[in-house]
Amino acid sequence: LVQKQKSDSTNLYEMAAVVKKIEDDNKERLKIINKLGTAGKGIYVLFDYKRNVDFFAYELLLEKAYSQWPENPSVIFDIAEQYRQDSQKEKAIDFYEKYVNLLNKENILDEIQTEKLKNTYLRLATLNADIKRKVIASAWYEKFFQISQDSKEKTRVSFEMGVFFATHIGDLKKASNYLIYWLERNSKDWNPSLNENTGLEELEAISFFHLSRLDKQNRKSEAERSKLNLAYNQWKKIDAELLEAEKLSVDLKSQKQKIKKDLLVTTEDEALSKYRLVDLKIEDAEARLRVLKTKLDKVPVLKIVYRLAVLAEGSHDFEKAKGYYQTVIELGGETEIQAAL
């Protein structure tokens, strides 16, 4: 009987995989690509109520497969994934944990199982963080980091972990380990042996800022000042890029106005072509401006500059402290201005 239930569960799971592919193909067929700037570029899904009625066949088959064999690891993992995609986070966590417990009973894991286990640890970390179970999330993050080989994903997550431990757990020592791992692979200022900059200045600034907090905790003023300066320099790089991008945008808009005036007296194809080309360049320039402004907003520049001012004041460099406080006044709101004054 048990063997038959396992066989039925496997067959139902295979059927579910076929149904999922059909459902995904149906959704893919309904996608369109919008290249116009007016509504925003990207892929959109057209909804046809006659053809795209979702009977949740895939989910029903998974549930049936699970009822036949509640320890089928493939079914448990896919149910967890489905709950996660449906934003049923607590149910997703329950099934991911069941999957982890099953794999932990195995003596040796193959490559696919190891990859799935790694992804499950990361899913459990982010889901628990989403529902404010910060300490539990931190444990799953660490499990992910321990079993992961060096890779782009591990590097990306190491930054996420560093910020998480610094801001949500308050463990600056652990945070520094993960941020240093990330900096070693992404920051030429931290690791001069890197061939080139990665263009992630805002993430570098955030990393240096949190590392400086550990130095502050350990009362290492010079090390703290050094890392704060590195963070501030990264912010200034982005700010300089933003100024250049703003100048380019203004120049392009000026060119557009000039071409528009020319079009009042001519309708030659060349003039029309120039107008369209400049219009596209303006669109790209404005997109670049939005990216740079988002980068600047991510960096806690007021905290960085204010702390630099305090350190300068503490070492009796009052001229430098005055300069930093002036920057706080220029960039800050009412609260920061009052503190700087």
Side-chain angles (χ1 to χ4, degrees):
L1 180 62
V2 173
Q3 198 60 40
K4 185 179 185 307
Q5 287 175 325
K6 287 185 177 181
S7 175
D8 288 347
S9 177
T10 302
N11 290 336
L12 285 163
Y13 176 69
E14 289 173 356
M15 190 186 299
V18 173
V19 169
K20 186 175 189 299
K21 186 177 186 311
I22 293 169
E23 288 178 353
D24 289 345
D25 287 347
N26 184 42
K27 290 172 185 173
E28 191 67 34
R29 186 172 63 252
L30 297 172
K31 285 182 180 177
I32 60 169
I33 298 175
N34 176 35
K35 294 181 179 178
L36 298 175
T38 51
K41 295 179 180 179
I43 296 175
Y44 295 86
V45 178
L46 292 176
F47 183 80
D48 182 344
Y49 71 94
K50 291 179 181 176
R51 296 171 56 197
N52 202 35
V53 176
D54 194 347
F55 292 104
F56 305 105
Y58 174 63
E59 292 180 24
L60 289 171
L61 285 167
L62 283 180
E63 287 175 13
K64 187 66 177 172
Y66 177 69
S67 69
Q68 290 296 308
W69 181 22
E71 291 193 352
N72 185 334
S74 298
V75 171
I76 289 170
F77 181 83
D78 282 11
I79 289 175
E81 287 282 280
Q82 199 63 38
Y83 277 133
R84 182 182 63 83
Q85 289 167 21
D86 293 342
S87 296
Q88 297 187 52
K89 295 175 182 178
E90 291 190 5
K91 286 185 177 179
I93 288 169
D94 184 41
F95 276 92
Y96 279 129
E97 287 179 347
K98 286 177 181 177
Y99 182 74
V100 168
N101 291 335
L102 279 175
L103 286 194
N104 285 339
K105 292 177 184 177
E106 301 285 334
N107 292 326
I108 299 173
L109 299 180
D110 61 30
E111 192 175 327
I112 294 172
Q113 287 174 317
T114 302
E115 185 67 20
K116 275 191 171 183
L117 184 62
K118 180 190 75 173
N119 290 336
T120 301
Y121 286 154
L122 186 56
R123 297 270 197 265
L124 282 166
T126 53
L127 286 168
N128 277 289
D130 286 346
I131 59 174
K132 312 301 181 188
R133 297 174 181 171
K134 307 295 186 183
V135 176
I136 294 172
S138 68
W140 290 117
Y141 267 129
E142 290 187 286
K143 284 179 182 290
F144 164 83
F145 199 80
Q146 286 163 7
I147 72 163
S148 297
Q149 300 294 321
D150 288 343
S151 64
K152 287 183 179 179
E153 184 189 32
K154 184 176 182 178
T155 301
R156 177 187 63 77
V157 175
S158 66
F159 174 81
E160 183 183 311
M161 290 175 67
V163 173
F164 181 83
F165 274 89
T167 57
H168 296 295
I169 303 298
D171 190 335
L172 294 173
K173 182 73 175 70
K174 279 186 179 177
S176 70
N177 293 334
Y178 299 123
L179 292 171
I180 287 170
Y181 180 92
W182 185 87
L183 285 166
E184 286 284 349
R185 291 154 180 79
N186 287 281
S187 173
K188 203 167 174 62
D189 286 326
W190 184 269
N191 181 7
S193 65
L194 290 175
N195 292 328
E196 58 185 16
N197 287 314
T198 55
L200 299 171
E201 293 89 355
E202 77 281 14
L203 304 189
E204 289 183 61
I206 293 166
S207 298
F208 289 132
F209 170 66
H210 287 305
L211 289 177
S212 77
R213 291 176 62 207
L214 180 62
D215 290 327
K216 179 186 176 184
Q217 191 179 81
N218 294 330
R219 298 184 180 181
K220 296 179 179 178
S221 298
E222 285 308 312
E224 181 190 1
R225 192 197 319 273
S226 173
K227 292 183 182 71
L228 286 169
N229 277 319
L230 286 169
Y232 189 34
N233 287 338
Q234 299 305 322
W235 181 88
K236 286 193 281 189
K237 284 180 191 176
I238 305 169
D239 192 47
E241 285 182 52
L242 180 62
L243 289 172
E244 285 182 23
E246 286 173 342
K247 183 178 180 300
L248 175 62
S249 180
V250 170
D251 290 345
L252 287 169
K253 286 175 182 176
S254 175
Q255 286 180 40
K256 182 180 176 180
Q257 288 302 318
K258 185 177 181 303
I259 296 169
K260 193 183 283 187
K261 286 179 184 177
D262 293 341
L263 284 171
L264 293 173
V265 293
T266 179
T267 56
E268 290 181 7
D269 288 344
E270 186 179 349
L272 286 166
S273 177
K274 280 182 181 178
Y275 184 84
R276 292 192 194 101
L277 185 62
V278 170
D279 214 26
L280 287 170
K281 285 182 178 179
I282 288 171
E283 193 177 311
D284 290 340
E286 287 178 346
R288 174 72 176 152
L289 279 172
R290 289 193 294 272
V291 169
L292 290 169
K293 285 175 182 176
T294 301
K295 282 187 169 191
L296 275 184
D297 290 343
K298 284 182 180 179
V299 180
V301 65
L302 290 171
K303 290 180 180 179
I304 292 166
V305 178
Y306 189 83
R307 185 59 191 164
L308 280 168
V310 171
L311 288 171
E313 199 173 350
S315 58
H316 304 292
D317 192 341
F318 299 114
E319 196 62 35
K320 190 173 281 187
K322 184 181 175 182
Y324 287 133
Y325 283 131
Q326 188 60 43
T327 303
V328 172
I329 291 168
E330 289 169 5
L331 298 174
E334 189 176 335
T335 305
E336 290 82 13
I337 290 170
Q338 287 298 323
L341 290 171

